């Protein structure tokens, strides 16, 4: 296999605005590039890519493969898949990463089928094995009961979709430079199987967990739905959002908008406070990349303490209001 020693990040964008996950993938891609010695590249398909190049360089892209066409003005799976498939066949990169967003989850499988490539969906961890020169793609498997590390030994490119918020955005600088490779792809023969008729921005009434810097989450240990009041009160003091374990959502104590974890939201706040949450693997999958984790649990052997930076062993009904009081007094 004579492929280019390149890692590509699909630079998902809408109306000229790059998706947040692109910066996360570039930041993680830099680590993979350092380890493998590969070049980190972005693939940008849009109607006008130039205004986005600087941001891609600032997050570590060394090259931008830039395809512009008026047909790429708004996302249409058939057009973008044609662009990506054409470039993968002509440039032959080793690795391609997509965000596991609505767009990425549609685009990556389409491209995989077009190129007979493998795809590991919904990864939560990536690494590079320098002995075998292979990408290690980790994701929850068997209903989330194990974390499986998947490799693609024979086929190239190795392709993954990666969940948002599992990697941190780390800028390299403000005026980084790199190479722009302008390419064109003939889209005239592409059959438009879907047409976007209208775009409606979802109105979310709840606090945006994904954007919150501080999250206080309640688990079954709160004992009663009305005890979400003390969780909410601490969250308000911190100016943050309320999260929840699936046990509380399944019990109907709080709406699913608040659920953190494998089948809920993946969050990456500055501080995550887990109150009365045991620390099941499916919950950890959604919050373990928080900068700082504080766990409050009456069981000193609760698995949440294995990932916590600070652990408070005690009854949350006493600890949380006391913590709130102390923070308010600061
Ligand atoms: P429990 O596991 O019951 O833990 C309650 C904790 O509270 C215990 O550790 C206990 O010691 C502590 N406690 C009790 N009373 C007090 C007190 N007064 N003070 C302090 N501590 C106290 N779960 C998720 O959260 N998110 C997901 O997205 C998710 N997805 C899943 C997907 C699949 C396919 C499957 C199979 C499961 C999934 N789960 C998910 C469920 C997960 O396995 C756990 O069942 C769930 O996270 C447990 O929630 P919990 O920690 O609130 O409850």
């Amino acid at each position: 296999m004579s492929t280019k020693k390149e890692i590509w990040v699909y630079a998902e964008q809408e109306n000229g605005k790059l998706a947040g996950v692109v910066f996360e993938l570039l930041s993680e891609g830099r680590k993979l590039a350092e380890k493998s010695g590969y070049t980190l590249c972005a693939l940008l398909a849009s109607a006008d890519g130039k205004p986005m190049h600087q941001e891609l360089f600032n997050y570590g892209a060394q090259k931008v493969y830039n395809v512009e066409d008026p047909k790429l003005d708004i996302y249409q799976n058939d057009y973008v898949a044609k662009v990506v498939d054409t470039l993968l066949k002509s440039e032959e990169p080793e690795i391609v990463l997509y965000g596991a967003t609505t767009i990425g989850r549609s685009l990556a499988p389409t491209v995989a089928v077009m190129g007979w490539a493998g795809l590991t969906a919904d990864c939560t961890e990536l690494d590079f094995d320098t002995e075998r020169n292979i990408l290690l793609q980790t994701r929850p498997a068997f209903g989330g009961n194990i974390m499986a590390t998947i490799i693609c030994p024979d086929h190239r490119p190795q392709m993954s979709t990666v969940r948002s918020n599992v990697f941190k955005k780390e800028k390299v600088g403000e005026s980084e430079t790199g190479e722009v490779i302008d390419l064109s792809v003939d889209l005239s023969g592409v059959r438009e199987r879907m047409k976007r008729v209208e775009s409606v921005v979802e109105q979310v009434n709840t606090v945006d967990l994904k954007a919150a810097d501080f999250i206080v989450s309640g688990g079954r240990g709160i004992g009663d739905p009305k005890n979400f009041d003390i969780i909410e009160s601490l969250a308000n003091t911190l100016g943050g959002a309320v999260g929840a374990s699936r046990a509380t959502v399944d019990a109907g104590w709080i709406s699913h908008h608040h659920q953190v974890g494998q089948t809920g939201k993946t969050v990456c706040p500055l501080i995550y406070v887990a109150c009365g949450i045991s620390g099941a693997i499916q919950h950890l999958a959604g919050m373990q990349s928080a900068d700082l984790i504080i766990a409050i649990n009456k069981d000193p052997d609760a698995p949440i303490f294995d990932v916590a930076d600070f652990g408070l062993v005690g009854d949350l009904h006493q600890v949380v209001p006391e913590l709130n009081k102390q923070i308010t007094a600061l």
Side-chain angles (χ1 to χ4, degrees):
M1 272 177 288
S2 65
T3 49
K4 272 192 191 161
K5 303 296 178 210
E6 293 187 345
I7 301 170
W8 284 19
V9 169
Y10 171 66
E12 178 180 329
Q13 58 85 34
E14 276 271 64
N15 300 319
K17 190 173 181 306
L18 290 159
V21 71
V22 174
F23 306 120
E24 294 162 18
L25 292 179
L26 286 172
S27 305
E28 184 65 13
R30 272 199 336 258
K31 294 179 197 156
L32 297 173
E34 226 163 78
K35 218 167 170 184
S36 60
Y38 294 178
T39 305
L40 181 63
C41 309
L43 161 53
L44 181 60
S46 68
D48 177 18
K50 281 161 214 74
M52 292 175 270
H53 293 166
Q54 188 61 56
E55 268 195 297
L56 294 169
F57 293 138
N58 288 349
Y59 277 86
Q62 294 161 278
K63 283 185 193 175
V64 174
Y65 287 94
N66 185 57
V67 178
E68 291 179 9
D69 192 298
K71 289 198 166 93
L72 300 169
D73 186 21
I74 55 166
Y75 183 83
Q76 295 278 32
N77 200 53
D78 296 317
Y79 288 135
V80 180
K82 171 73 179 173
V83 170
V84 178
D85 177 58
T86 306
L87 264 58
L88 295 192
K89 285 176 179 151
S90 64
E91 306 302 318
E92 299 184 309
E94 270 280 320
I95 295 171
V96 188
L97 308 176
Y98 308 78
T101 57
T102 310
I103 285 179
R105 284 176 172 150
S106 167
L107 176 65
T110 313
V111 172
V113 169
M114 290 166 94
W116 288 102
L119 172 67
T120 307
D122 249 11
C123 293
T124 52
E125 218 181 301
L126 297 173
D127 200 356
F128 190 82
D129 180 340
T130 48
E131 304 246 305
R132 290 181 290 174
N133 280 334
I134 214 159
L135 181 68
L136 305 175
Q137 308 162 93
T138 302
R139 53 152 294 151
F142 292 109
N145 290 309
I146 60 159
M147 298 302 282
T149 297
I150 294 166
I151 57 166
C152 182
D154 302 321
H155 245 84
R156 292 295 177 269
Q158 304 163 83
M159 303 212 298
S160 327
T161 61
V162 181
R163 279 187 167 210
S164 305
N165 279 324
V166 293
F167 300 131
K168 293 201 189 322
K169 296 178 196 173
E170 287 167 89
K171 230 183 202 179
V172 181
E174 290 297 338
S175 47
E176 300 301 306
T177 52
E179 189 184 353
V180 177
I181 300 160
D182 286 307
L183 296 169
S184 61
V185 175
D186 180 11
L187 297 176
S188 58
V190 177
R191 190 161 63 93
E192 236 184 47
R193 287 174 296 180
M194 280 181 277
K195 214 180 191 93
R196 189 186 302 206
V197 183
E198 194 187 4
S199 294
V200 179
V201 180
E202 188 189 4
Q203 299 297 325
V204 184
N205 296 325
T206 52
V207 183
D208 187 358
L209 268 184
K210 288 192 169 204
D213 283 338
F214 304 98
I215 295 176
V216 185
S217 281
R220 200 178 346 234
I222 67 167
D224 190 287
K226 70 173 167 26
N227 292 332
F228 262 110
D229 286 357
I230 56 172
I231 304 295
E232 196 176 344
S233 179
L234 180 58
N236 288 342
T237 304
L238 292 169
V242 173
S245 72
R246 177 158 154 184
T248 60
V249 172
D250 285 353
W253 294 359
I254 191 162
S255 97
H256 71 90
H257 293 298
H258 295 267
Q259 186 183 318
V260 172
Q262 187 196 318
T263 41
K265 296 199 167 89
T266 307
V267 297
C268 189
L270 298 175
I271 299 181
Y272 187 87
V273 190
C275 311
I277 292 178
S278 57
I281 190 168
Q282 297 89 355
H283 189 81
L284 302 186
M287 45 62 79
Q288 61 191 353
S289 50
D291 281 2
L292 188 93
I293 298 171
I294 301 172
I296 301 162
N297 198 301
K298 67 177 186 186
D299 174 7
D301 296 322
I304 191 77
F305 289 128
D306 296 340
V307 298
D309 299 286
F310 294 100
L312 291 160
V313 179
D315 185 342
L316 70 90
H317 301 103
Q318 284 153 17
V319 176
V320 177
E322 182 58 28
L323 198 60
N324 200 357
K325 202 168 108 196
Q326 297 290 336
I327 295 170
T328 311
L330 287 176

